[in-house]
Amino acid sequence: MNFDYDLFVIGAGSGGVRASRIASGFGAKVAVAEEYRVGGTCVIRGCVPKKLLVYASHFGEDMETAEGYGWTIGERRFSWKKLIAAKDAEIDRLNGLYLNTLDGAGVEIINGRATVEDTNTVRVGDKTYTAKKILVAVGGWPALPDVPGIEHAITSNEALHLDDLPKRIVIVGGGYIAVEFAGIFNGMGSDVIQLYRSEQILRGFDDDLRSRLAAEMAKKGIDVRTGTNVTAIEKTETGVSLTLTDGSRLEADAVMYATGRGANTKGLGLEAVGVDLAPNGAVKVDAYGKSTIDSIFAVGDVTDRVQLTPVAIKEGHAFALTEFGGIETSPEHDAIPSAVFSQPPIGTVGLSEAQAREKFADIEIYESDFRPMKHTLGGSDERAYTKLIVDKATDKVVGAHMIGIDAAEIIQGIGIAVKAELTKSQFDATVAVHPSTAEEFVLMRNARS
């Protein structure tokens, strides 16, 4: 059978763009369908615009720090509208770069929402296209709970495009998106209350990082309330009124939900052609991204394996190598470094202490708790913390965690060491870079008793 394309990709996010570009480089005829803008969650409505807002939110605190170093700071004014306009201009620029990348790679871009008609056919609008292989890379979408009045809430999508900075905002959720936006709005000057239904924020992260971040957020003025949820939302003249699980009420200009993300597969037509989906809508795939239908594959957040942009890129690349390059490649999902751009930020790689205790017979914990040098003159009492988890039987470092200034930058290098399965002895033998925060990872000598 002659197909219109060797590969038809649904979704032009990080995973889809990488897969299409690499496949095209191997000589495949490739098309990508995108219903919104090329770049996906990360570039358009996720990590990139969010990180720009994180940078912006730091400057108020940075100016206070500067005074401790002899700088005299004059009148301070902040314009939310100016920031959002600058952010939008940068997203436009990146969108253009992605378009140029696909065009330069010889990939055809088809504008519109694509749905799967059969195992080798895709529909976009009133046209159908056939392909030898179909790659689903549609990502995820914020999930909202069934709460009365939930239509009055916003998500991270809308938070990036608010007309005005809310003076009072309630953020519901305890994951990384929730804590990051709590820091953003707090840094801009908003009064922030964060509600989380469980006992501590950042479920799944190392417990020491969780408790330390909660404490530092409280010191910065964020009202973090655990064991608390919203039971109803009402629209008011000035914003919203929230009813909480204890029966009390909260008034705010806005309420933002960051309570998880679901696979963006609704209405895609996958189940009708025999593709197995998980209860949350995620596409079930094997180690190479193949679904239960041989001609249909999936990468990125839509598979709900590890919802990180660099992982989607790795998966897209591995798919293209396997299916079009003749190089059988399965993306690895162990020892993945990641960061939370909270305030202060978190960097983590490998196992948490709880996970390590389940996996190994005996572990050793090394930790360091200190006030970063920057704060000695800057005046802040914010502390930093580093932690290594070691399998005692092999001396291998199986987990590394940090909260504090530059944690995201530092954990990238530490991630290489953990991925390479280096030992605590090799960490100890490495010369420290002094004075720095990163040096703590090679200076911890005494295991926690």
Side-chain angles (χ1 to χ4, degrees):
M1 178 177 177
N2 292 323
F3 296 101
D4 297 327
Y5 300 98
D6 299 306
L7 173 64
F8 196 104
V9 181
I10 304 176
S14 298
V17 167
R18 174 59 66 91
S20 60
R21 184 171 64 81
I22 300 302
S24 182
F26 285 122
K29 185 179 181 183
V30 183
V32 176
E34 174 55 55
E35 64 177 311
Y36 182 50
R37 304 182 74 186
V38 172
T41 296
C42 180
V43 173
I44 306 302
R45 64 184 77 84
C47 36
V48 171
K50 175 197 67 185
K51 184 71 179 292
L52 293 174
L53 266 59
V54 169
Y55 281 134
S57 67
H58 269 289
F59 282 104
E61 191 174 275
D62 289 345
M63 284 186 278
E64 292 179 5
T65 301
E67 292 179 354
Y69 283 88
W71 290 89
T72 299
I73 306 297
E75 181 185 2
R76 305 180 193 179
R77 287 184 297 173
F78 169 69
S79 170
W80 172 263
K81 291 183 184 297
K82 186 176 181 180
L83 169 64
I84 296 304
K87 179 266 297 180
D88 288 344
E90 174 61 8
I91 300 311
D92 288 344
R93 185 185 73 85
L94 293 173
N95 175 239
L97 290 178
Y98 268 72
L99 288 167
N100 290 338
T101 295
L102 289 174
D103 184 61
V107 176
E108 182 180 346
I109 303 171
I110 300 172
N111 297 312
R113 176 174 174 76
T115 56
V116 178
E117 295 252 307
D118 63 39
T119 56
N120 295 98
T121 306
V122 173
R123 174 177 291 278
V124 183
D126 58 359
K127 292 185 177 181
T128 58
Y129 305 88
T130 60
K132 187 175 182 180
K133 293 180 173 67
I134 297 170
L135 178 66
V136 179
V138 294
W141 199 254
L144 290 171
D146 185 15
V147 173
I150 193 66
E151 66 273 13
H152 303 305
I154 65 171
T155 69
S156 58
N157 290 349
E158 295 79 31
L160 295 167
H161 297 282
L162 291 173
D163 291 333
D164 297 293
L165 177 68
K167 293 180 180 178
R168 304 166 301 164
I169 186 167
V170 174
I171 297 176
V172 183
Y176 73 94
I177 295 174
V179 300
E180 288 172 340
F181 273 94
I184 286 169
F185 285 116
N186 178 69
M188 305 287 193
S190 301
D191 291 330
V192 180
I193 297 175
Q194 182 176 344
L195 308 178
Y196 185 46
R197 63 184 181 182
S198 294
E199 78 288 347
Q200 187 56 282
I201 57 174
L202 287 185
R203 181 173 61 87
F205 284 77
D206 188 87
D207 287 338
D208 282 313
L209 298 186
R210 299 172 71 191
S211 60
R212 288 170 186 273
L213 178 61
E216 292 292 345
M217 289 173 67
K219 281 159 54 176
K220 292 178 185 292
I222 299 171
D223 184 356
V224 181
R225 304 183 189 180
T226 54
T228 307
N229 209 348
V230 176
T231 59
I233 305 169
E234 294 178 23
K235 183 69 176 171
T236 66
E237 289 184 5
T238 58
V240 291
S241 177
L242 312 177
T243 303
L244 307 185
T245 44
D246 63 1
S248 64
R249 295 178 75 89
L250 269 181
E251 306 291 325
D253 298 312
V255 57
M256 174 186 152
Y257 270 74
T259 48
R261 295 173 65 85
N264 203 14
T265 52
K266 188 176 181 179
L268 205 59
L270 292 172
E271 286 181 296
V273 300
V275 174
D276 281 355
L277 303 181
N280 66 353
V283 181
K284 295 181 180 180
V285 294
D286 66 11
Y288 299 93
K290 183 185 289 188
S291 76
T292 48
I293 298 298
D294 287 345
S295 59
I296 299 178
F297 301 76
V299 298
D301 290 0
V302 75
T303 66
D304 195 28
R305 288 176 286 181
V306 179
Q307 294 191 23
L308 292 172
T309 295
V311 174
I313 292 171
K314 287 277 190 185
E315 290 172 356
H317 200 128
F319 158 78
L321 288 174
T322 301
E323 297 301 322
F324 297 97
I327 306 167
E328 194 170 279
T329 307
S330 174
E332 297 178 4
H333 292 96
D334 64 310
I336 297 172
S338 64
V340 179
F341 294 101
S342 49
Q343 300 186 33
I346 282 173
T348 182
V349 62
L351 303 177
S352 68
E353 181 176 342
Q355 291 168 334
R357 291 195 185 282
E358 287 185 3
K359 185 171 182 178
F360 300 105
D362 197 4
I363 63 171
E364 290 182 323
I365 305 297
Y366 297 82
E367 56 188 352
S368 175
D369 182 339
F370 57 98
R371 188 185 186 196
M373 185 177 182
K374 180 180 179 180
H375 294 329
T376 57
L377 296 187
S380 172
D381 63 355
E382 178 183 297
R383 299 187 68 77
Y385 172 78
T386 57
K387 179 177 186 178
L388 288 177
I389 301 166
V390 179
D391 171 23
K392 194 170 183 178
T394 62
D395 197 40
K396 290 179 181 177
V397 176
V398 296
H401 310 278
M402 176 182 173
I403 179 171
I405 298 172
D406 297 326
E409 306 294 337
I410 291 168
I411 206 66
Q412 180 68 82
I414 301 299
I416 299 171
V418 175
K419 180 69 174 175
E421 299 184 335
L422 298 190
T423 63
K424 180 62 168 62
S425 297
Q426 289 170 312
F427 272 67
D428 294 344
T430 303
V431 176
V433 176
H434 182 76
S436 72
T437 297
E439 67 181 320
E440 295 298 321
F441 278 110
V442 299
L443 293 179
M444 294 181 278
R445 293 292 186 269
N446 299 315
R448 186 174 72 195
S449 57

